[in-house]
C-alpha cells in the first residue's frame, strides 16, 4: 500500500469511507497468484469449517479459532506486505483480468475500440525492453520544462501543466460536491505535495520514524542519481526535498483532523482565493490548467495555502525546481520508467515502509495499472463474464433487508430522541444502493493509447482524467458515477452522495456465494452491507443530511449522547497496542470501528429475522456448527490476514481501519450475543464486562 506514484493527487470524493485500506488505495503491493492450476478456480468458501482450529478456545481468541487453518495453509508470500482473504480474491480477479487483457492485446483479432485501448496499454506496460530502451527520453521534455524556468512568476503555468500529467506538485485542484449543496459541483483546492504517505511521517520524533525519514532521503537521492545527477548533487537535492516537504507537511491537517468535514469546509470563490495568494497567480494557474476562473470553490486547508504562498516567496527558485523534478520522477517511477527506477521505488515504498521482500511480477502490476487507468473499459468485459444479473439481484435483496432492519433498530435506540429518529430514518430511506457496476459506462473515446509508449500513455490517461474531472465543475452532480472500478475487492459509502457502492469484484466467494446459506452470507457480506450503511451515521457521516449536505440534523442532547457513547470506543481502541510502542488511534479509527460494530449488529438482526421467517432450526448443526456459530465464523473468516510488522506499524499509525485481528475480536467483544452462541463463561477474553454500543 501507499505506493504513492499510483495515487491520484486529489480526490473528487473527499470523504468516501472505504471498507478496507491497502487494496483500494493502491492494489500495487499486496498480492500473489492464487494456488490455482490452469483454468480451475480455487475453492473459496464464505464459511469454511476446514479453516477452524478447534484446539483454540473460541471464547479466548475467536480470530485464531476461526483463522488458524487459513494461516497454516497460506504462508505470507515474499512479494506481499500482507496477505488475507481480500488478497486471495484480489489475486483471483487479477488472474481473470490478465486473461481478458492477454486476449485484447492480440493485434490480429477484430478488437473493439475499448479492447484496443486496454490491450495495447497492457502490451506497452509489459514491454520492459522498450521501456528500458526508452530510458528517460520521453520524460526529457518535462525535465527541460522545469529546468527552463527562471523565476517564481513562471510557477503557475508550470504547476498547472504538471497537475495535468498527474504530478503531485504542492497542492491538489479538482472538482468536489459543494458541502452546503451536494447537488452542485464546485472547485476544490486541497493540500498535497508530499512524497511520504502522510504528514505525520515528517513530524514524528520516535527512533523508527527518524530512521524512515533518513531512508526516504536516501531514496530521493537514489532517484536523482538514476536521473544522472552526481552523488554529491543528488544528496544535497534530497535534503532540499525533505526540507521543503516538511514545511508543507507542518502546514497540513493531520489525517485525524481531516476526518471532521468541518475542518475541510472553507467556502470561498476563485476570484477571492486568487487575491488571498500574493505570490502565486491563481488566474494564471486556472488559465493554464483549463479550470474555472470564477465561481464557488472550497479552500479545504487555508493554513496550507498561506504557507504555500510564503514558501513561493521565500524559497530560491532552484530549490523549488529540485522539488518539482523529484515529484515528476516520482510520479513516473513505476512501470513507465526503466526497471532501475521501478525497483528503487518498490524498495522504499513496499520493502522499507511495508516489509515486502520481493517485487511483484510485472504482469500483476500491469494488470493493476490498466484497471487503475482504464477501469471501466476493462470492467465492462469483466462484469459480462463474472457477474451475472442473478448475483446482482441477490445482493440487492440482502441490502434491502438490512436497510429494513436498520429502520427497526433506529426505533429501538434508547438514547435517541423521537425527533432525531425521524431525521435518521429519512436519511436511511434516501440511501441509494449501487451494486456491481455503473449503469452508464465511462466513454474513453478521446484517450489515445499508443502501443509501445507506456510513459506517453500514462500522461495521456492523466490528462484525460484531469479534463474529465474539471469539466464537472459548475454542473449538477452525476450520482451514477463510481469511485471504484468494477473488479475492485472493496466497497464504500459516500456521505455527500448518500449512497453505498459494492463493486462486482467483491461480490464473489469467499465473501458472498449463491451456493451457500444465509448464515454464511449474512455473517460475511451482510456485515459489510451493514458496515457501509452505518458509515452514514458514524462520527463523520452523521454530519451530513439525507441529501448529502453538511447540515446538522441532530438535537444538542442527542449529539452529546452520541459523543459519549462513541467515546467508549475511542478509549477501547486507544488501549490496543498493535506493535510494541504503537497504539491504535481511537479517534482516527472511530468511523470504521462504529461501522464494523453497527454493521455486524444489523446483519445479525436481519439474519435472525430471515431465519425465523424461514423456520430455520437453530439447534441443527451443519459441519459441526449451529447456524449462529456459522454466522460468527463467516464474519471472522473474512478478516483472516497475515501482515508483516512493518506494514502493521504503518497501518496502526495511518490507517482509519483497525488491523484485522481487532476488526474481529474487539468488535465481537462488544456483542454479548456472540458469547452466548459459543456458551462462553463470563468473564472470558471474548466476553467483556462493559461492552460499547452506539448503533
Ligand atoms: Zn468502512
Amino acid at each position: 500500500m501507499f505506493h504513492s506514484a499510483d495515487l491520484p493527487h486529489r480526490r473528487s470524493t473527499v470523504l468516501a469511507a472505504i471498507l478496507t485500506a491497502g487494496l483500494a488505495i493502491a492494489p500495487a503491493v499486496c498480492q500473489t497468484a492464487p494456488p490455482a492450476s490452469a483454468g480451475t478456480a480455487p475453492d473459496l468458501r464464505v464459511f469454511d469449517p476446514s479453516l477452524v482450529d478447534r484446539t483454540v478456545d473460541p471464547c479466548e481468541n475467536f480470530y485464531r479459532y476461526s483463522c488458524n487453518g487459513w494461516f497454516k495453509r497460506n504462508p505470507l508470500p515474499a512479494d506481499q506486505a500482507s496477505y488475507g482473504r481480500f488478497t486471495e480474491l484480489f489475486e483471483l480477479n487479477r488472474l481473470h483480468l490478465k486473461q481478458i487483457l492477454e486476449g485484447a492485446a492480440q493485434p490480429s483479432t477484430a478488437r473493439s475500440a475499448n479492447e484496443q485501448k486496454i490491450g495495447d496499454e497492457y502490451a506497452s506496460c509489459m514491454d520492459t525492453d522498450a521501456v528500458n530502451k526508452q530510458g528517460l527520453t520521453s520524460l526529457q521534455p518535462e525535465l527541460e520544462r522545469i529546468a527552463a524556468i527562471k523565476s517564481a512568476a513562471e510557477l503557475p503555468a508550470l504547476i498547472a501543466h504538471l497537475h495535468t500529467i498527474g504530478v503531485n506538485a504542492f497542492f491538489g485542484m479538482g472538482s468536489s460536491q459543494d458541502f452546503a449543496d451536494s447537488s452542485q459541483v464546485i472547485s476544490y483546492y486541497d493540500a498535497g505535495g508530499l512524497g511520504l504517505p502522510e504528514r505525520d511521517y515528517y513530524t514524528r520524533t520516535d527512533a523508527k520514524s527518524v530512521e524512515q525519514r533518513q531512508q526516504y532521503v536516501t531514496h530521493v537521492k537514489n532517484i536523482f542519481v538514476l536521473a544522472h545527477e552526481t552523488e554529491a548533487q543528488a544528496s544535497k537535492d534530497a535534503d532540499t526535498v525533505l526540507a521543503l516537504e516538511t514545511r508543507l507537511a507542518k502546514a497540513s491537517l493531520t489525517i485525524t483532523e481531516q476526518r471532521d468535514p468541518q475542518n475541510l469546509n472553507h467556502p470561498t470563490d476563485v476570484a477571492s482565493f486568487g487575491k488571498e495568494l500574493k505570490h502565486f497567480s491563481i488566474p494564471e494557474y486556472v488559465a493554464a490548467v483549463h479550470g474555472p476562473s470564477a465561481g464557488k470553490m472550497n479552500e479545504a486547508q487555508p493554513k496550507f495555502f498561506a504557507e504555500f504562498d510564503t514558501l513561493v516567496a521565500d524559497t530560491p527558485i532552484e530549490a523549488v525546481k529540485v522539488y518539482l523534478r523529484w515529484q515528476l520522477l516520482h510520479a513516473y517511477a513505476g512501470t513507465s520508467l526503466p526497471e532501475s527506477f521501478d525497483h528503487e521505488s518498490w524498495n522504499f515504498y513496499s520493502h522499507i515502509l511495508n516489509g515486502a521482500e520481493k517485487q511483484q511480477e510485472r504482469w500483476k502490476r500491469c494488470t493493476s495499472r490498466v484497471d487503475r487507468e482504464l477501469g471501466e473499459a476493462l470492467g465492462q468485459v469483466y462484469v459480462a463474464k463474472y457477474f451475472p444479473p442473478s448475483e446482482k439481484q441477490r445482493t440487492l435483496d440482502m441490502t434491502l433487508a438490512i436497510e429494513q432492519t436498520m429502520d427497526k433498530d433506529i426505533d429501538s435506540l434508547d438514547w435517541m430522541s423521537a425527533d432525531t429518529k425521524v431525521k435518521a430514518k429519512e436519511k436511511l430511506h434516501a440511501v441509494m444502493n449501487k451494486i456491481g457496476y455503473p449503469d452508464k459506462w465511462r466513454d474513453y473515446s478521446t484517450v489515445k493509447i499508443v502501443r509501445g509508449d507506456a510513459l506517453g500513455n500514462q500522461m495521456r490517461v492523466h490528462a484525460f482524467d484531469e479534463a474529465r474531472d474539471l469539466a464537472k465543475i459548475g454542473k449538477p452532480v452525476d450520482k451514477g458515477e463510481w469511485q471504484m472500478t468494477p473488479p475492485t475487492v472493496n466497497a464504500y459509502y459516500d456521505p455527500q452522495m448518500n449512497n453505498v457502492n459494492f463493486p462486482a469484484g467483491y461480490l464473489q466467494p469467499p465473501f458472498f456465494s449463491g451456493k451457500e446459506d444465509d448464515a454464511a452470507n449474512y455473517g460475511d457480506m451482510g456485515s459489510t452491507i451493514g458496515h457501509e450503511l452505518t458509515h452514514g451515521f458514524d462520527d463523520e457521516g452523521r454530519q451530513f443530511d439525507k441529501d448529502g449536505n453538511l447540515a446538522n440534523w441532530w438535537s444538542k442532547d442527542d449529539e452529546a449522547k452520541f459523543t459519549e457513547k462513541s467515546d467508549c470506543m475511542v478509549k477501547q481502541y486507544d488501549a490496543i497496542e498493535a506493535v510494541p510502542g504503537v497504539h491504535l488511534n481511537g479517534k482516527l479509527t472511530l468511523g470504521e470501528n462504529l461501522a464494523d460494530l453497527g454493521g455486524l449488529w444489523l446483519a445479525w438482526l436481519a439474519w435472525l429475522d430471515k431465519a425465523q421467517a424461514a423456520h430455520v432450526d437453530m439447534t441443527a448443526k451443519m459441519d459441526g456448527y449451529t447456524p449462529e456459530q456459522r454466522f460468527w465464523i463467516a464474519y471472522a473468516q473474512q478478516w483472516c490476514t497475515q501482515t508483516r510488522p512493518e506494514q502493521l506499524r504503518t497501518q496502526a499509525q495511518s490507517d482509519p481501519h483497525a488491523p484485522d485481528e481487532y476488526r474481529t475480536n474487539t468488535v465481537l467483544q462488544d456483542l454479548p450475543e456472540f458469547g452466548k452462541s459459543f456458551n462462553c463463561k463470563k468473564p472470558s477474553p471474548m466476553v467483556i464486562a462493559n461492552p460499547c454500543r452506539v448503533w
Side-chain angles (χ1 to χ4, degrees):
M1 63 195 277
F2 295 127
H3 187 265
S4 48
D6 296 331
L7 286 175
H9 66 279
R10 60 186 146 61
R11 301 156 293 173
S12 54
T13 291
V14 180
L15 294 162
I18 58 172
L19 179 71
T20 68
L23 293 173
I25 291 171
V29 178
C30 343
Q31 26 293 92
T32 192
S37 57
T40 52
D43 182 28
L44 302 178
R45 291 186 56 183
V46 181
F47 163 74
D48 191 340
S50 75
L51 303 182
V52 177
D53 181 352
R54 301 194 78 142
T55 67
V56 176
D57 179 355
C59 308
E60 287 278 329
N61 187 332
F62 194 64
Y63 186 59
R64 291 276 147 202
Y65 172 80
S66 305
C67 291
N68 265 356
W70 189 91
F71 295 146
K72 280 189 198 122
R73 218 178 283 172
N74 295 278
L76 191 44
D79 68 345
Q80 309 283 346
S82 74
Y83 188 78
R85 305 220 82 193
F86 280 77
T87 2
E88 206 172 22
L89 176 57
F90 179 84
E91 287 300 342
L92 179 64
N93 286 352
R94 192 153 60 172
L95 207 59
H96 291 152
L97 297 179
K98 178 184 181 234
Q99 283 158 2
I100 293 169
L101 289 169
E102 284 176 347
Q106 300 300 324
S108 57
T109 55
R111 297 184 293 176
S112 69
N114 272 348
E115 281 167 343
Q116 178 272 319
K117 289 183 207 305
I118 60 174
D120 285 351
E121 177 59 336
Y122 181 71
S124 308
C125 178
M126 286 301 290
D127 192 350
T128 322
D129 286 348
V131 170
N132 285 340
K133 220 160 114 190
Q134 190 68 6
L136 279 175
T137 313
S138 301
L139 212 54
Q140 207 51 44
E142 303 304 331
L143 289 164
E144 281 163 16
R145 196 191 293 264
I146 295 170
I149 68 162
K150 303 267 179 301
S151 75
E154 294 171 71
L155 283 176
L158 176 65
I159 290 174
H161 172 75
L162 291 171
H163 284 173
T164 306
I165 59 169
V167 177
N168 181 12
F170 289 111
F171 62 90
M173 195 284 269
S175 77
S176 183
Q177 282 167 274
D178 186 348
F179 276 128
D181 176 4
S182 69
S183 69
Q184 295 302 312
V185 181
I186 59 171
S187 304
Y188 190 89
Y189 285 73
D190 200 0
L194 307 181
L196 281 164
E198 45 95 5
R199 63 90 77 192
D200 283 351
Y201 278 77
Y202 295 86
T203 56
R204 282 190 203 105
T205 52
D206 62 282
K208 184 74 190 166
S209 302
V210 171
E211 187 195 355
Q212 283 178 339
R213 276 198 294 280
Q214 284 161 355
Q215 290 166 317
Y216 177 57
V217 170
T218 305
H219 166 60
V220 177
K221 188 202 92 175
N222 292 346
I223 290 283
F224 280 138
V225 169
L226 288 171
H228 313 304
E229 286 191 17
T230 63
E231 287 273 339
Q233 186 63 39
S235 222
K236 198 170 148 253
D237 286 351
D239 289 339
T240 300
V241 168
L242 182 71
L244 219 145
E245 289 185 357
T246 303
R247 269 182 84 174
L248 298 176
K250 284 184 173 160
S252 304
L253 293 175
T254 67
I255 45 177
T256 306
E257 287 164 341
Q258 289 186 52
R259 278 196 49 76
D260 186 345
Q262 295 294 354
N263 289 337
L264 299 171
N265 182 25
H266 304 99
T268 178
D269 59 79
V270 181
S272 311
F273 180 56
K275 287 184 193 128
E276 211 178 288
L277 300 193
K278 305 287 181 224
H279 309 287
F280 182 86
S281 168
I282 289 296
E284 283 176 32
Y285 170 78
V286 291
V289 83
H290 304 297
S293 57
K296 194 171 176 183
M297 63 163 272
N298 187 18
E299 183 187 358
Q301 301 196 35
K303 192 180 143 201
F304 174 89
F305 282 100
E307 178 65 11
F308 168 64
D309 195 34
T310 313
L311 185 151
V312 170
D314 70 16
T315 309
I317 191 66
E318 289 309 317
V320 174
K321 284 157 72 170
V322 165
Y323 163 77
L324 293 175
R325 195 160 71 240
W326 150 246
Q327 286 292 348
L328 171 69
L329 291 164
H330 174 55
Y332 284 86
T335 44
S336 290
L337 283 183
E339 284 167 296
S340 48
F341 284 88
D342 189 24
H343 186 79
E344 172 57 36
S345 192
W346 169 83
N347 183 56
F348 180 70
Y349 289 101
S350 298
H351 174 58
I352 292 177
L353 288 187
N354 289 311
E357 287 166 2
K358 182 175 153 253
Q359 193 172 21
Q360 287 182 2
E361 287 174 68
R362 186 90 178 179
W363 74 262
K364 293 186 179 188
R365 296 182 296 124
C366 289
T367 302
S368 291
R369 172 173 167 167
V370 181
D371 180 44
R372 214 161 41 237
E373 293 180 338
L374 302 164
E376 290 195 14
L378 177 57
Q380 208 171 342
V381 190
Y382 169 82
V383 162
K385 275 186 99 157
Y386 299 104
F387 193 62
S390 58
E391 302 283 285
K392 183 167 172 159
Q393 189 56 47
R394 270 189 69 132
T395 323
L396 181 61
D397 291 345
M398 197 150 76
T399 308
L400 294 173
I402 290 169
E403 283 170 355
Q404 268 173 18
T405 302
M406 188 166 204
D407 186 277
K408 281 197 276 179
D409 187 53
I410 290 170
D411 277 334
S412 74
L413 296 174
D414 60 3
W415 55 271
M416 187 182 262
S417 69
D419 286 354
T420 305
K421 280 182 182 175
V422 170
K423 296 271 170 45
K425 287 168 80 160
E426 272 175 17
K427 176 164 181 177
L428 170 66
H429 297 152
V431 172
M432 183 175 151
N433 302 316
K434 283 164 65 191
I435 292 168
Y437 49 89
D439 291 335
K440 189 169 169 276
W441 293 100
R442 190 163 298 167
D443 176 6
Y444 292 102
S445 55
T446 57
V447 191
K448 199 171 148 208
I449 298 294
V450 180
R451 199 171 178 111
D453 185 16
L455 191 136
N457 290 342
Q458 190 182 338
M459 277 186 188
R460 285 185 290 273
V461 167
H462 274 299
F464 167 79
D465 278 339
E466 173 93 357
R468 200 179 61 80
D469 186 52
L470 295 184
K472 294 185 219 166
I473 299 172
K475 302 200 182 94
V477 69
D478 171 9
K479 290 209 165 190
E481 197 183 355
W482 283 68
Q483 304 295 330
M484 284 179 182
T485 68
T488 304
V489 186
N490 215 328
Y492 68 97
Y493 171 78
D494 187 327
Q496 286 179 283
M497 295 280 193
N498 194 24
N499 62 21
V500 289
N501 302 260
F502 305 100
Y506 184 30
L507 302 169
Q508 315 275 342
F511 300 108
F512 172 78
S513 166
K515 292 191 198 125
E516 294 189 52
D517 73 350
D518 285 334
N521 280 319
Y522 273 75
D524 192 330
M525 188 53 68
S527 69
T528 297
I529 294 168
H531 173 106
E532 299 308 336
L533 273 179
T534 307
H535 269 313
F537 303 88
D538 71 15
D539 57 324
E540 177 185 283
R542 72 171 190 85
Q543 300 187 49
F544 294 82
D545 69 11
K546 68 177 172 59
D547 299 314
N549 298 325
L550 185 57
N552 193 359
W553 46 272
W554 293 65
S555 74
K556 271 215 145 37
D557 199 37
D558 289 322
E559 208 161 29
K561 283 184 186 139
F562 174 89
T563 306
E564 187 194 313
K565 287 194 158 288
S566 47
D567 274 349
C568 172
M569 292 179 77
V570 173
K571 291 198 190 88
Q572 186 178 25
Y573 284 82
D574 269 342
I576 296 172
E577 192 174 11
V579 285
V582 181
H583 281 246
L584 297 186
N585 178 342
K587 269 210 153 59
L588 174 65
T589 56
L590 177 60
E592 295 301 332
N593 299 333
L594 282 164
D596 278 344
L597 180 56
L600 181 55
W601 175 239
L602 290 178
W604 169 255
L605 294 178
W607 171 68
L608 284 182
D609 274 356
K610 204 159 176 235
Q612 199 178 26
H615 305 291
V616 171
D617 177 359
M618 290 301 213
T619 60
K621 291 191 175 178
M622 192 199 287
D623 297 316
Y625 302 91
T626 67
E628 289 188 7
Q629 290 171 339
R630 290 189 294 106
F631 174 93
W632 300 117
I633 294 170
Y635 173 73
Q637 286 183 339
Q638 71 182 303
W639 301 119
C640 303
T641 307
Q642 317 244 41
T643 308
R644 293 186 196 279
E646 293 87 345
Q647 159 111 1
L648 200 56
R649 163 180 284 270
T650 303
Q651 198 180 346
Q653 287 174 330
S654 310
D655 195 325
H657 306 84
D660 297 313
E661 177 180 348
Y662 312 107
R663 294 188 82 168
T664 310
N665 285 349
T666 312
V667 171
L668 291 173
Q669 282 171 345
D670 285 336
L671 290 171
E673 289 73 11
F674 158 78
K676 287 178 200 151
S677 299
F678 284 89
N679 299 314
C680 295
K681 290 189 190 70
K682 277 201 229 176
S684 64
M686 291 300 306
V687 181
I688 58 174
N690 296 303
C692 303
R693 174 69 64 80
V694 182
W695 293 105

